Amino acid sequence: MSTQQDVTVRLDDRVRLMSAVLAATDWPEKSQERQPHGTHAHSRATRKYLDPFKNHPAVQGMQSLINQGAPVEAIYNFALKMSWPKMEITEAPRWMPPRWDEHLRDFYGTANLAKWWKDEDGPWQNSFNESQKMFKGVSFKPFLNQFIGDISESLIFIPNISFPTEMEVGVRLNGELICVAPPRLAWGDSPPWPFDEDRAYIHRSALAQYGRLLIFDFLRTHAQEVAPIAETTLPVSDQFRARYPTWQEQFTNLFVAAACALYLETHMNKKEADAYILMERKTQGMTILPGMVSVMRRYLSEYEAGRYKGLIDFLPVFPKQLRVANRIVTL
């Protein structure tokens, strides 16, 4: 593994602000309904601290976005476009609730979040230090370059011990690929693990978000070449197809999962990769993932041999190879 670290860890008050506003909505209850889990002591304390502010216009604006099914990625993208500490936004998106930027500024001051975060600085600094430890000497770009080509963006990891507690968020903005991630969930009601107690989790969480952002842009850039390839149906399960109805969505999620598995296999060990594949098959309906990993492993072998210059050269034969690999691994 290269010792040239290419992931920068940082904390960001704009992320903490969005997480705090989320804490005062019904997001925590809804996320528990989707997936019961124990939460970090700081997130629980934040909910309690902000209980008196549930009717604040900033919270009501966030609640309306949640009720409309607004993607969390869009909300955090909006937050990271705001200046800090003035919290001004140059171009407000059409979906922004009326005067939401003003309401957010007022919420920050009225709830005295600056003092709250100062009082709670210990847990945040721990999450930062734990994450720093996990990314020391880690280099993702050489691995991803084999598929996408040169990556000009900086890779940023922001640990988040507030909300959302059960999912990572990926944002592409201002020359950065940003992963906002919670600590790994534990079993049942147990609190989540520290960031430095599961290297495989933190690496695959970050790699998945960087890979998703990159492959989305890759498919958009090569839309003309991809269009005829996408006419060939992929051999995915009905459950997976229902969750990801378009070819592009299916390919993106298969690619991301296979890339994570291959990274774990080559940079950690096969046991971690197999555990991840099993988890994705059970939780995401990716019964085809072993076949996808086999196809991507073959691609990397042929890429190294000089047969392909990048993933776009390989895509015309991808659907057929996936069908063949899927039949072989399921025999």
Side-chain angles (χ1 to χ4, degrees):
M1 184 189 301
S2 170
T3 57
Q4 183 63 45
Q5 180 174 333
D6 59 20
V7 178
T8 300
V9 179
R10 73 181 183 214
L11 300 177
D12 194 300
D13 284 344
R14 295 167 296 183
V15 167
R16 294 203 282 200
L17 174 61
M18 288 297 108
S19 296
V21 180
L22 270 181
T25 67
D26 69 1
W27 179 277
E29 290 89 350
K30 296 293 184 182
S31 68
Q32 290 293 337
E33 291 174 9
R34 291 190 293 269
Q35 181 183 3
H37 60 278
T39 55
H40 195 283
H42 172 75
S43 65
R44 298 195 302 274
T46 298
R47 284 193 68 197
K48 184 176 180 180
Y49 174 75
L50 293 175
D51 190 67
F53 304 97
K54 285 188 173 182
N55 293 319
H56 191 281
V59 177
Q60 295 304 307
M62 178 72 86
Q63 187 65 60
S64 71
L65 291 173
I66 294 171
N67 294 344
Q68 295 168 44
V72 180
E73 289 80 5
I75 293 172
Y76 277 83
N77 183 284
F78 167 85
L80 289 165
K81 283 182 177 176
M82 290 194 303
S83 64
W84 191 268
K86 291 186 176 181
M87 287 179 273
E88 295 174 342
I89 186 148
T90 304
E91 295 182 14
R94 290 194 300 272
W95 53 261
M96 186 186 83
R99 299 175 59 203
W100 199 38
D101 51 343
E102 297 175 33
H103 297 323
L104 288 169
R105 285 194 291 274
D106 184 76
F107 179 80
Y108 174 75
T110 303
N112 202 357
L113 285 175
K115 183 179 184 302
W116 173 245
W117 294 336
K118 184 177 180 180
D119 293 343
E120 291 284 305
D121 188 56
W124 282 105
Q125 289 303 320
N126 287 342
S127 71
F128 175 81
N129 293 332
E130 291 160 3
S131 301
Q132 280 272 58
K133 180 180 173 183
M134 290 296 94
F135 286 111
K136 185 177 181 180
V138 172
S139 187
F140 286 145
K141 286 187 178 182
F143 175 76
L144 291 168
N145 286 346
Q146 300 172 100
F147 303 99
I148 307 296
D150 290 339
I151 299 167
S152 60
E153 292 94 341
S154 300
L155 306 181
I156 309 297
F157 183 86
I158 301 177
N160 184 20
I161 54 174
S162 190
F163 296 92
T165 55
E166 80 290 7
M167 62 183 288
E168 300 89 35
V169 181
V171 175
R172 183 180 200 144
L173 188 66
N174 298 331
E176 295 181 337
L177 303 178
I178 304 166
C179 172
V180 179
R184 177 188 164 181
L185 298 182
W187 292 102
D189 294 329
S190 300
W193 296 33
F195 281 96
D196 61 353
E197 287 196 10
D198 189 342
R199 185 180 298 272
Y201 162 77
I202 197 171
H203 285 190
R204 71 172 183 259
S205 295
L207 188 64
Q209 294 309 312
Y210 304 146
R212 188 179 308 280
L213 294 166
L214 288 165
I215 205 68
F216 176 81
D217 188 65
F218 171 86
L219 292 175
R220 183 176 57 185
T221 301
H222 296 282
Q224 191 170 351
E225 299 102 302
V226 170
I229 302 168
E231 293 177 5
T232 303
T233 304
L234 298 179
V236 297
S237 67
D238 291 340
Q239 177 189 352
F240 190 76
R241 193 184 309 279
R243 182 173 294 181
Y244 307 110
T246 70
W247 191 98
Q248 286 77 4
E249 289 174 312
Q250 293 166 19
F251 179 81
T252 295
N253 284 277
L254 287 173
F255 170 82
V256 167
C260 287
L262 285 169
Y263 183 87
L264 292 176
E265 181 177 287
T266 56
H267 291 74
M268 291 187 192
N269 56 65
K270 192 173 186 301
K271 182 180 177 182
E272 289 286 4
D274 289 344
Y276 171 71
I277 291 171
L278 180 62
M279 178 186 70
E280 291 298 292
R281 291 182 69 180
K282 285 185 174 181
T283 61
Q284 304 298 324
M286 283 196 190
T287 55
I288 199 174
L289 184 53
M292 182 69 180
V293 171
S294 176
V295 170
M296 288 295 98
R297 190 184 291 117
R298 179 174 178 178
Y299 161 77
L300 287 176
S301 175
E302 295 181 340
Y303 170 84
E304 291 172 4
R307 180 173 179 183
Y308 302 113
K309 292 182 179 179
L311 193 60
I312 193 62
D313 297 334
F314 174 73
L315 278 188
V317 300
F318 164 74
K320 181 179 179 180
Q321 289 208 8
L322 184 60
R323 287 185 178 278
V324 172
N326 190 49
R327 284 200 297 269
I328 293 173
V329 298
T330 53
L331 288 178

